[in-house]
Amino acid sequence: MSLVATHTEARPNETHGRRSRVVTLTPAPSIDRVYRVDELKADRVNRASSVEAHIAGNGVNLARDLRAAGNTVVAVAPLNFEDALEYVEDAAMFRVVPVHQATRVNTIVIAGDGQTTNVNQAANPLTSRDWRSLYAAVRDASDQASPDWIVLGGTVPDTGGAPLDPNALLEIARDTNARICLDSPGLVLAKWMQQGAIPSLVAPNVHELEEAVGSSVATVGEACEAGQRLLDRGVETVLVSLGAAGALLITGNEQLWASTRPARVVNTTGAGDAALAGLLSTWQGEGGASRLGLALTSAVRWGRAACETSAPTIDPNTVSEVDVDLRTPDRDLAIA
């Protein structure tokens, strides 16, 4: 039975008393080079109709969408001087930690039918000194912003350098009364849990959820069960992006599922980041089923909006026009 058949609101971040405050850390930012082609053909020379480039990475994408909606955001990222000078378009949002290596480059090819092909360069290693500088930048930003959320976003370098210390981020969160959100590959989450470092919120897609729990997920019911396994390990909230099948929000007391009519897909890159941004823009981590429903509604709207634009940032003023079906999960529904 549908709980909210057509949930609407004036603006995605006007469903609560104040805007959110968020600090993001993107330890492996990228320069996304986006090529648009009429049709992508294998083993052929493909001509691009346009090419653009911008700084990206889960935490950067998230910060950009949140800032566009008027939230207070600081995006911490390691960049060398030349890349920061050329690609950082919003100096007020970024807290750049200087590093020597060139920023990795991700290649994204978008065909006219919306099919998106990504070729991502491996993350650059970070030294112990780099990590200390990043932790210091996150602490400084958190001391100033008093964030609701500290978000670790995207790939985490795990070879050729020093490892991430999740407890350093958890300590900053405790000291500043923030919650930790982990928006990284499932293997990163699994490693955190093995170390006893438990984030408050995780935001996997289906593949990342499978990595985190070590089993396949083919239906909404199996996604709910996998999410519950993360809750059993101490995670407070799980947001699962299901692609065309919508999204799940799972807590110790609630399981909610939301979806919209099919999107006119232009570019799927960044849709999961936009969905998480919609959630965090609407929710500071507290409240019952009604508040969670509003947050999940925003999440699926923002994720859909990202699919329907080729720009790196969604327009938050347009997302509230989409009706959202919010209900208890249809556990038998297959995830494509």
Side-chain angles (χ1 to χ4, degrees):
M1 178 180 295
S2 175
L3 300 177
V4 183
T6 54
H7 196 102
T8 60
E9 64 208 51
R11 291 284 182 88
N13 57 353
E14 287 180 359
T15 58
H16 54 92
R18 63 171 176 82
R19 302 178 192 274
S20 295
R21 300 185 297 267
V22 180
V23 172
T24 72
L25 170 60
T26 307
S30 64
I31 298 171
D32 278 10
R33 296 196 184 279
V34 183
Y35 296 79
R36 292 182 178 82
V37 300
D38 293 333
E39 182 181 2
L40 180 61
K41 297 179 180 180
D43 300 321
R44 302 283 184 88
V45 174
N46 293 273
R47 302 294 183 185
S49 58
S50 66
V51 181
E52 64 184 55
H54 55 265
I55 291 290
N58 291 37
V60 172
N61 299 338
L62 174 79
R64 192 179 279 121
D65 287 334
L66 284 168
R67 185 167 170 81
N71 299 285
T72 299
V73 187
V74 181
V76 177
L79 294 168
N80 67 36
F81 177 77
E82 291 80 5
D83 291 336
L85 190 64
E86 182 172 358
Y87 294 106
V88 170
E89 75 285 357
D90 187 351
M93 182 184 78
F94 276 90
R95 186 72 57 88
V96 173
V97 172
V99 293
H100 294 294
Q101 64 263 43
T103 307
R104 68 190 181 115
V105 177
N106 292 343
T107 301
I108 302 166
V109 183
I110 304 173
D113 62 359
Q115 182 180 8
T116 306
T117 302
N118 294 59
V119 180
N120 292 351
Q121 185 178 341
N124 291 318
L126 294 171
T127 66
S128 296
R129 180 177 179 179
D130 294 333
W131 280 117
R132 288 195 297 271
S133 297
L134 287 168
Y135 302 145
V138 171
R139 179 172 289 279
D140 183 62
S142 299
D143 286 341
Q144 294 184 35
S146 299
D148 304 295
W149 297 99
I150 297 173
V151 182
L152 176 69
T155 298
V156 178
D158 60 357
T159 58
L164 163 71
D165 178 9
N167 289 306
L169 296 179
L170 290 168
E171 181 180 353
I172 296 171
R174 286 192 295 268
D175 291 346
T176 58
N177 295 317
R179 287 179 165 87
I180 287 285
C181 170
L182 181 60
D183 182 26
S184 292
L187 294 178
V188 176
L189 172 58
K191 185 177 293 186
W192 274 44
M193 291 190 297
Q194 290 170 1
Q195 295 175 312
I198 309 299
S200 296
L201 169 66
V202 296
N205 58 30
V206 173
H207 176 65
E208 292 165 342
L209 182 61
E210 291 175 330
E211 286 184 334
V213 300
S215 61
S216 62
V217 174
T219 66
V220 169
E222 289 176 352
C224 290
E225 293 167 5
Q228 183 60 51
R229 289 170 63 182
L230 297 180
L231 264 62
D232 292 343
R233 297 290 299 276
V235 175
E236 294 176 3
T237 307
V238 181
L239 171 68
V240 185
S241 296
L242 303 175
L248 285 168
L249 190 61
I250 305 168
T251 71
N253 299 316
E254 303 289 341
Q255 290 188 351
L256 297 175
W257 171 46
S259 62
T260 68
R261 64 180 184 273
R264 180 182 58 84
V265 177
V266 174
N267 177 18
T268 57
T269 302
D273 304 329
L276 178 57
L279 183 88
L280 299 186
S281 183
T282 311
W283 184 59
Q284 289 86 40
E286 298 177 344
S290 176
R291 180 61 59 82
L292 289 170
L294 292 171
L296 184 57
T297 295
S298 289
V300 296
R301 283 181 174 150
W302 286 40
R304 176 195 170 94
C307 288
E308 293 189 327
T309 181
S310 60
T313 308
I314 67 168
D315 180 357
N317 296 311
T318 65
V319 300
S320 62
E321 300 170 2
V322 178
D323 290 337
V324 173
D325 187 12
L326 177 67
R327 62 176 70 197
T328 54
D330 180 354
R331 301 180 67 88
D332 295 328
L333 180 69
I335 301 170

